[in-house]
Amino acid sequence: MTDKKAFTEALGGVLDALSKGNSEAFEAVENHAAVQKAIDLAKAGKYEEFYFALMYPFEQVMDSIAQRALPESRNAQFLMKHSEFVESHFVNLIEKYEGRACSADKSRAILSHLLAFFIKGKRVEFNYSQEYTYHLPKKIFTTHEDILGFFEGVQRLYYGRPDEYLKALMETMKKGSDSQ
């Protein structure tokens, strides 16, 4: 069986098992050749071969889905594919400067507004006069420019270029400290 066919079968098993728990999902694909090969490569400490045997094909599928769904915006594609990475940076800083309460809600609001900007061109503007504002950041990430600048920094950090991230991080930390 070719690597491509084995991967396709394994992917099919993963997609079928998505509604199950982690262990059940793994059990659904553990006997596929591509998965067994990846396990052997991981045990042997062959990180690069592991990546190309299992992770790279999944990334190609994710790239294709994001490109097909959001052809107009590379930033939207990046955010869809790496939302967990991006969100963790927002959440951690919100927790530091605004506290843990509702930090995930605030981060989700930020990412939702960012996607609307990338897809529809709608600037990030929060309505602080609405009835409920628990999900809106109060001290940091309150402006379109702050949010977009930090996102761009996180995006560059992901690709191994930390300079813009460090600059955005320092600006956010300064704004957070000034507001306390």
Side-chain angles (χ1 to χ4, degrees):
M1 180 181 309
T2 66
D3 283 347
K4 186 174 182 178
K5 185 174 181 183
F7 172 76
T8 302
E9 287 181 11
L11 178 60
V14 168
L15 293 174
D16 289 341
L18 281 177
S19 63
K20 301 175 182 174
N22 286 346
S23 62
E24 287 181 68
F26 175 72
E27 288 169 9
V29 297
E30 72 179 316
N31 293 320
H32 286 283
V35 174
Q36 284 301 310
K37 181 179 179 181
I39 290 170
D40 292 342
L41 291 168
K43 286 179 180 177
K46 296 183 177 184
Y47 71 92
E48 191 172 14
E49 290 90 342
F50 173 83
Y51 171 79
F52 283 109
L54 192 64
M55 302 305 292
Y56 181 70
F58 275 109
E59 286 181 12
Q60 288 181 309
V61 170
M62 293 291 294
D63 287 345
S64 296
I65 292 169
Q67 288 166 3
R68 184 164 293 174
L70 303 163
E72 68 281 352
S73 175
R74 287 186 156 310
N75 283 334
Q77 292 170 21
F78 178 87
L79 186 52
M80 283 294 184
K81 292 185 305 187
H82 307 292
S83 60
E84 185 177 349
F85 178 78
V86 174
E87 186 173 18
S88 68
H89 287 275
F90 280 101
V91 166
N92 286 326
L93 284 169
I94 290 168
E95 285 178 358
K96 179 175 178 138
Y97 293 105
E98 298 190 17
R100 257 193 120 145
C102 303
S103 59
D105 295 313
K106 292 174 183 181
S107 181
R108 282 192 294 270
I110 290 168
L111 268 56
S112 294
H113 280 78
L114 262 177
L115 273 173
F117 172 67
F118 295 144
I119 296 169
K120 300 174 186 169
K122 184 180 176 193
R123 286 180 54 85
V124 177
E125 293 179 359
F126 298 122
N127 179 3
Y128 289 98
S129 64
Q130 63 188 338
E131 184 176 357
Y132 299 105
T133 60
Y134 66 89
H135 64 292
L136 301 178
K138 308 287 189 285
K139 297 178 181 178
I140 58 173
F141 305 128
T142 57
T143 69
H144 176 85
E145 291 74 22
D146 290 345
I147 292 167
L148 188 60
F150 190 74
F151 168 80
E152 290 172 348
V154 169
Q155 188 176 39
R156 286 182 177 85
L157 176 67
Y158 181 84
Y159 291 115
R161 297 180 176 189
D163 293 352
E164 290 295 317
Y165 171 74
L166 293 173
K167 180 181 171 192
L169 177 63
M170 294 304 291
E171 289 173 10
T172 301
M173 291 172 71
K174 182 178 181 338
K175 188 172 185 177
S177 294
D178 290 347
S179 68
Q180 291 184 352

